[in-house]
Amino acid sequence: MKQQREHWGSKLGFIMATAGSAIGLGSLWRFPYIAGQNGGGAFVLLYLFFTLIIGIPAFIGELIIGRAAQKGAIGAYTELSHGSTHWKLLGWLNLLTSFIILSYYSVVSGWGINYALMSLSNFTAGRTPEQIKAIFNTVYISGDINIFWLFIFMLMTAGVVYGGIKKGIEYWSKMLMPALFAILIGLFIYSTTLPGFKEAAKFILYPDFSKLNAGSILSALGMALFTLSVGLGIILTYGSYMKSSEDIPKTGLIIGGVSVSVSLLSALMIFPIVFTFGFEPEAGPGLVFQTLPVLFSKLPGTLVLSTIFFVLFIFATLTSTISILEVLVSNLIEVFNWSRKKAVLISSFVTFIFGIPTALSGSGSLFKNWKAIYNKDFFATLNDLTADWLMPLSAFFTVLFISFVMKKSFSKEEFTKGTTIPKLMHTWFFLVRYVAPIAILIIILQQSGIINLSKLF
Ligand code: PFF
């Protein structure tokens, strides 16, 4: 007997779950350090631009595909293309990308658990900012500890996803997201009082285009897709649990706005610390872990504040990892007819195993020559491969699918169903049909060395 598809229990629940998916490591961890490495303001502007012209339109498109098909990525692309095997492959590409991302994403989330526990033992007490910063390196090279927390984190993710949509994902997102917003705003307000705030605001908000390099443009696109979880079938899957009365375009705009705000908030919270204590803006993946504890150590109630922050950090990543795991699970259930239990167990176990090389990346105990051969460690390889290549490629085919495979009248009808802003339909369609594919294609070709735009100027 065909089971009825589960749906979100309420509008608010759906918005919180989707915001939960969007807000995670992308905004809190990845955005600040990539913006730092790419020189600040100009990169931030590009990121905002790509979010507006590519990220949000593609996000809306994924919701439409999911809601229309009421299936996960593989099923949805197959059904809406009337059985095409080629488009089915896009579903599989979504699955593969989600799987790779989840494996390293959970390792970084594991660092969050480390820091929550370290906070409980007041690890910043009696240490100078430089010493606090150095602790991250110890965490990074501690392979066994990282594997342990990776395992625990996968277990937590699997537990929520096993609970299903309403009782698992929606319930937890509704509880955790408001608390996260509150603490972020509180910390941001405190950061504005630091002496380095002015310099930080200038660094983040003032665009100096001479600081951009060729790779920055692709990174900004990758970042826009990453923070909105676009190009992996996540949003599509969440859309498939929507009822047709729900307002898709409005959801896209709200989540786009919230995700960009959290990214900016997070950078404006971290960079004042960087400039106040003379750290390097290009510090890399350790940035958030190296800077915030310094801020906490200066505040009254260090232990409580720092612990609360890292616990919320874990929650922010958990509401994202559940959305990534749900992509794997929903597809496995539909394609192989597995039970939810079997799909959750197998996919999280395999992801855990694949996450081990990332967890061991800093320790150098596995793949010793990886860095010498590929120029970056295993963790950085996956991080860049997914955000700079697989997500843009997958987003490219997603927008093509919406504009050229789905009938124009159908896409438009789905856009307007349940919305209070039907007038935006023409702008949206123009962006997904022309602007997004052309822009993504140019960026990918430029990055691959097939074309060289700088020759034109
Ligand atoms: N958008 C979330 C984040 O920025 O952390 C979660 C996420 C999902 C990130 C999927 C990346 C990704 F590929």
Side-chain angles (χ1 to χ4, degrees):
M1 191 182 77
K2 196 171 175 337
Q3 267 202 338
Q4 264 250 287
R5 193 170 187 81
E6 209 183 339
H7 284 110
W8 302 106
S10 69
K11 265 198 176 77
L12 180 73
F14 164 69
I15 291 275
M16 286 298 171
T18 319
S21 166
I23 295 160
L25 290 178
S27 302
L28 298 175
W29 163 76
R30 203 166 190 280
F31 177 73
Y33 88 78
I34 302 268
Q37 286 175 335
N38 285 282
F43 175 86
V44 173
L45 205 63
L46 272 179
Y47 156 73
L48 293 179
F49 179 68
F50 286 140
T51 301
L52 202 64
I53 66 157
I54 299 174
I56 297 177
F59 183 98
I60 293 176
E62 270 200 39
L63 281 181
I64 285 180
I65 298 174
R67 187 180 66 179
Q70 295 282 302
K71 289 199 169 78
I74 297 174
Y77 285 120
T78 313
E79 179 172 311
L80 298 182
S81 67
H82 307 292
S84 145
T85 356
H86 290 114
W87 286 107
K88 193 181 197 171
L89 284 179
L90 177 56
W92 282 102
L93 177 67
N94 280 181
L95 211 70
L96 174 75
T97 315
S98 300
F99 167 69
I100 300 176
I101 290 187
L102 185 59
S103 74
Y104 74 79
Y105 200 102
S106 304
V107 173
V108 180
S109 308
W111 295 344
I113 308 187
N114 252 310
Y115 270 77
L117 284 179
M118 283 153 55
S119 304
L120 271 181
S121 54
N122 222 347
F123 75 107
T124 55
R127 290 195 160 113
T128 64
E130 273 308 316
Q131 287 167 334
I132 295 175
K133 192 176 136 193
I135 294 176
F136 176 75
N137 299 331
T138 314
V139 171
Y140 189 54
I141 60 171
S142 304
D144 46 359
I145 295 183
N146 290 331
I147 292 181
F148 177 69
W149 291 120
L150 164 68
F151 179 76
I152 299 292
F153 195 80
M154 280 311 308
L155 214 59
M156 286 160 57
T157 306
V160 177
V161 175
Y162 178 61
I165 301 308
K166 266 190 239 152
K167 288 202 197 110
I169 299 176
E170 184 171 344
Y171 175 81
W172 284 100
S173 305
K174 258 199 324 212
M175 303 255 290
L176 304 176
M177 292 316 287
L180 180 73
F181 291 141
I183 192 151
L184 277 181
I185 292 172
L187 284 173
F188 163 71
I189 293 175
Y190 183 80
S191 260
T192 60
T193 65
L194 289 176
F197 182 73
K198 234 176 150 180
E199 201 180 338
K202 186 165 171 235
F203 181 72
I204 291 300
L205 303 175
Y206 177 79
D208 174 357
F209 287 96
S210 67
K211 286 191 181 154
L212 286 182
N213 57 44
S216 307
I217 303 179
L218 185 66
S219 294
L221 171 68
M223 183 62 68
L225 301 174
F226 194 101
T227 51
L228 276 178
S229 317
V230 166
L232 294 115
I234 293 183
I235 300 306
L236 184 158
T237 310
Y238 272 25
S240 73
Y241 302 120
M242 276 175 117
K243 297 181 199 131
S244 56
S245 54
E246 239 120 24
D247 191 335
I248 288 185
K250 220 184 205 165
T251 308
L253 289 173
I254 294 176
I255 304 292
V258 170
S259 132
V260 159
S261 314
V262 174
S263 299
L264 288 176
L265 211 63
S266 161
L268 284 171
M269 185 171 87
I270 286 169
F271 282 101
I273 313 169
V274 170
F275 291 114
T276 304
F277 297 98
F279 294 169
E280 296 296 317
E282 311 77 19
L287 189 66
V288 69
F289 300 103
Q290 291 166 327
T291 48
L292 285 181
V294 174
L295 173 67
F296 300 143
S297 72
K298 305 279 168 207
L299 295 172
T302 306
L303 187 147
V304 176
L305 200 64
S306 177
T307 311
I308 293 182
F309 175 81
F310 282 110
V311 167
L312 286 175
F313 180 92
I314 299 166
F315 288 154
T317 62
L318 186 63
T319 48
S320 298
T321 49
I322 55 184
S323 71
I324 313 180
L325 185 62
E326 181 63 27
V327 174
L328 307 184
V329 168
S330 64
N331 279 300
L332 293 174
I333 292 176
E334 287 164 23
V335 176
F336 299 114
N337 234 334
W338 286 358
S339 65
R340 178 165 276 272
K341 185 172 171 188
K342 182 172 173 190
V344 170
L345 271 177
I346 294 186
S347 54
S348 47
F349 183 71
V350 176
T351 312
F352 163 68
I353 299 292
F354 190 70
I356 292 178
T358 300
L360 291 175
S361 218
S363 74
S365 50
L366 193 70
F367 301 150
K368 267 201 189 64
N369 294 332
W370 190 280
K371 196 166 181 180
I373 296 174
Y374 302 103
N375 219 4
K376 35 183 119 173
D377 65 19
F378 186 77
F379 166 56
T381 308
L382 295 191
N383 195 350
D384 294 349
L385 173 76
T386 45
D388 291 351
W389 295 105
L390 295 180
M391 290 184 86
L393 260 182
S394 175
F396 174 70
F397 289 116
T398 306
V399 285
L400 284 191
F401 185 87
I402 299 160
S403 359
F404 296 103
V405 180
M406 276 161 61
K407 281 222 172 68
K408 193 170 168 180
S409 53
F410 180 75
S411 300
K412 291 189 167 176
E413 189 189 318
E414 283 297 320
F415 182 97
T416 33
K417 224 185 245 172
T419 188
T420 50
I421 41 174
K423 282 210 183 87
L424 285 185
M425 183 201 43
H426 297 291
T427 317
W428 168 74
F429 199 69
F430 178 74
L431 288 173
V432 249
R433 183 163 211 175
Y434 302 107
V435 179
I438 295 173
I440 303 176
L441 190 65
I442 292 178
I443 296 168
I444 294 178
L445 291 179
Q446 162 82 17
Q447 186 67 11
S448 338
I450 297 173
I451 58 170
N452 186 357
L453 288 181
S454 52
K455 280 206 179 127
L456 295 178
F457 304 105

